[in-house]
Amino acid sequence: MEPAAEPAAEPAAEPAVGEDVVRKVLTAAAGGGAAVAATAPLRRGRALLSVAVDLEARRAELVELVRRTEGCRLSEALAAVDHCIDTAVRWAGWADKLDLLVPRLPGSVPPVVVGVLGAGRLLPTVRTALAVLAAGGSCVLTGGATLERLADAVVAELGDGAAAALPQEPATAALVAGGVEVLDARWAGEAFTAAVRRAAAAAGTRVLPPREGPAPDDARLLAPLFHEVSLTG
């Protein structure tokens, strides 16, 4: 009897929106990050305040999106959206005071483009995105329609490429991991797959790996995004 043939290897998954689209988003993010970095910190703060106003205007829509996409109670969705709005206001105020919030060593700079894997959770994803924007970078997020609303609000204030939201699925996440300067996977959970890790390693992307527990306070959330920072000054 002939030995049974081994099953054929499964083909690599294709990104939901097409690799060409993801590449265009990453290219735009590089230009958008440079533009945000060139924007005066006070202007960035004003832009983030306008983002907060936009999110407040869409509050009911965002709450419903969070409730459906995260499968949580209405009260939890309300709390998440309100916290996001408050976070945008807080970073608006901190944008021109980051040296006080995160004392840095000479020469340390924020990354131009940060990829954020939020594992479908609005709050930690938005907190990182707003911190990146306040510091003068751009962000590429993986998640649902809620993050698309955030990206739309950011682009309206800070220009094309400042933020973008892509579908949350493995092939897209791997492409993002290989095309950004820093990958924030602190709350990615199962979204931080072996394919994502390999893509980041091959591209030399600096990775903030998954961690347990709630998101840290603002300084400890922002500090790891910089190279060679000192929280004690």
Side-chain angles (χ1 to χ4, degrees):
M1 180 182 294
E2 295 185 2
E6 294 187 4
E10 292 185 4
E14 294 293 332
V17 294
E19 182 174 347
D20 57 334
V21 173
V22 178
R23 301 292 185 196
K24 287 179 181 178
V25 166
L26 293 169
T27 299
V36 175
T39 302
L42 188 60
R43 167 72 182 88
R44 292 201 298 266
R46 289 172 178 164
L48 291 178
L49 189 58
S50 295
V51 170
V53 171
D54 185 271
L55 295 178
E56 176 68 38
R58 301 185 182 199
R59 182 171 178 268
E61 174 191 2
L62 293 173
V63 167
E64 179 58 21
L65 281 171
V66 171
R67 189 186 66 79
R68 286 193 287 107
T69 59
E70 298 189 23
C72 61
R73 296 191 297 269
L74 177 60
S75 60
E76 294 172 327
L78 282 165
V81 171
D82 286 346
H83 198 155
C84 287
I85 295 169
D86 291 344
T87 299
V89 173
R90 185 164 63 252
W91 282 112
W94 275 113
D96 62 341
K97 306 175 184 69
L98 293 185
D99 286 339
L100 299 175
L101 182 65
V102 185
R104 286 173 278 163
L105 297 176
S108 66
V109 294
V112 175
V113 186
V114 175
V116 186
L117 306 182
R121 297 168 58 198
L122 171 68
L123 193 50
T125 311
V126 168
R127 286 192 67 200
T128 295
L130 293 170
V132 169
L133 293 163
S138 63
C139 48
V140 179
L141 317 172
T142 63
T146 314
L147 297 178
E148 293 177 9
R149 304 300 187 274
L150 171 70
D152 289 345
V154 169
V155 167
E157 299 299 330
L158 285 167
D160 291 341
L166 291 168
Q168 180 181 296
E169 47 83 40
T172 296
L175 286 173
V176 170
V180 296
E181 185 176 344
V182 177
L183 182 70
D184 189 346
R186 284 176 283 184
W187 301 277
E190 294 180 357
F192 191 54
T193 63
V196 171
R197 293 194 295 272
R198 287 194 298 268
T205 301
R206 187 160 61 90
V207 176
L208 305 182
R211 51 165 289 157
E212 298 296 331
D217 60 28
D218 288 337
R220 294 187 182 278
L221 184 146
L222 179 59
L225 296 170
F226 291 86
H227 285 285
E228 298 183 351
V229 298
S230 168
L231 287 177
T232 58

